[in-house]
Amino acid sequence: LRELSGSRLEAIRQMSINYGSSSQATDYHGRADYYVLAYMLMNFYKLWLPLWEILQQGKLKPNVRVLELGPGPGTATLALLSFYCMLALDNRETQFSIDYVAVEREEDFVRAADSMVNHFIAGHPCQQNLHINFQLRQQSFEEFFASGYGDERGYDLVLESNALNDHENVSEDAHLNVAREMLYALQAGGHAVFIEPRGRVNCTRLQKFFDDMMVEGVAMLLAPRNCR
């Protein structure tokens, strides 16, 4: 990102201004740098807050299986790994492990996420008591679900980011199926975290998902919080 030219930064600024203004499905091609700049800090907040709430409830496990649907360039992925790294630094006597599966179809995002996440894994300051096994699969959600969720179900955390909103130009039934599959992938006592943009239409759609499906204590919705 340090090497981005002034013209590219201006183009990224215009993308941010125009985001959501088209009725067409969002075009992700060639925009990995934009999504890193636009979402890195935002996704740290949006993910650390529910993780902190789960931790305060005494339900955040030191050894955790995570499924992330639509990691993009890996900003929410880095947020979760960094959260666990902070826990490991504050609890040196405890061994932590993360078995992480991320499913992303966009080639540009896969390259960016693979680079950033593996750079973090190789150099994070928690090597002594935090083990990370990271798998990045270039598949659509439908292909991943059809494959039987990889090795097995039973994830402790299932995340999705910007996959269930109206900017994706996907039918409500298709979104509902993704949300159901997320819950199906959870083991008993697990948590699903939905990270979605603000907006009346999107909030109404998310609330419908939750009214239709959610079991008390199973899922957590973040962003916008007033949809909970």
Side-chain angles (χ1 to χ4, degrees), residues 152-166:
E152 57 181 299
R153 292 183 174 87
Y155 292 94
D156 302 294
L157 285 171
V158 180
L159 321 175
E160 72 81 24
S161 179
N162 295 325
L164 301 178
N165 62 77
D166 51 311

Side-chain angles (χ1 to χ4, degrees), residues 48-220:
W48 277 40
L49 185 55
L51 291 176
W52 176 253
E53 292 183 12
I54 298 169
L55 178 65
Q56 291 298 98
Q57 296 168 8
K59 296 179 179 179
L60 193 67
K61 298 180 179 180
N63 304 300
V64 63
R65 298 188 71 234
V66 180
L67 170 62
E68 183 177 4
L69 299 176
T75 55
T77 314
L78 288 176
L80 187 145
L81 297 181
S82 297
F83 189 90
Y84 263 84
C85 187
M86 294 300 99
L87 288 179
L89 288 174
D90 286 344
N91 299 273
R92 296 283 192 177
E93 72 288 352
T94 302
Q95 291 294 318
F96 294 87
S97 68
I98 306 173
D99 188 5
Y100 207 117
V101 176
V103 181
E104 174 58 56
R105 68 181 180 185
E106 298 292 334
E107 186 175 352
D108 292 343
F109 285 168
V110 168
R111 284 197 300 266
D114 184 66
S115 175
M116 291 201 302
V117 172
N118 282 298
H119 180 77
F120 175 88
I121 292 173
H124 71 75
C126 322
Q127 303 285 346
Q128 182 177 349
N129 62 328
L130 173 61
H131 174 72
I132 302 169
N133 177 34
F134 179 68
Q135 302 177 54
L136 180 56
R137 304 186 182 196
Q138 187 173 359
Q139 292 178 295
S140 68
F141 300 160
E142 294 78 11
E143 289 170 337
F144 179 70
F145 299 148
S147 73
Y149 298 78
D151 297 331
E152 57 181 299
R153 292 183 174 87
Y155 292 94
D156 302 294
L157 285 171
V158 180
L159 321 175
E160 72 81 24
S161 179
N162 295 325
L164 301 178
N165 62 77
D166 51 311
H167 296 312
E168 297 301 313
N169 198 25
V170 177
S171 73
E172 185 171 313
D173 286 344
H175 282 162
L176 185 60
N177 183 61
V178 170
R180 284 176 173 151
E181 294 282 5
M182 287 177 63
L183 297 186
Y184 190 46
L186 285 170
Q187 67 171 326
H191 292 78
V193 180
F194 297 73
I195 304 177
E196 291 293 342
R198 185 182 301 277
R200 180 184 59 80
V201 173
N202 197 47
C203 188
T204 300
R205 177 178 288 189
L206 288 171
Q207 188 61 61
K208 183 178 186 302
F209 292 163
F210 275 58
D211 289 345
D212 288 348
M213 301 181 313
M214 295 305 162
V215 177
E216 185 67 27
V218 170
M220 179 173 293

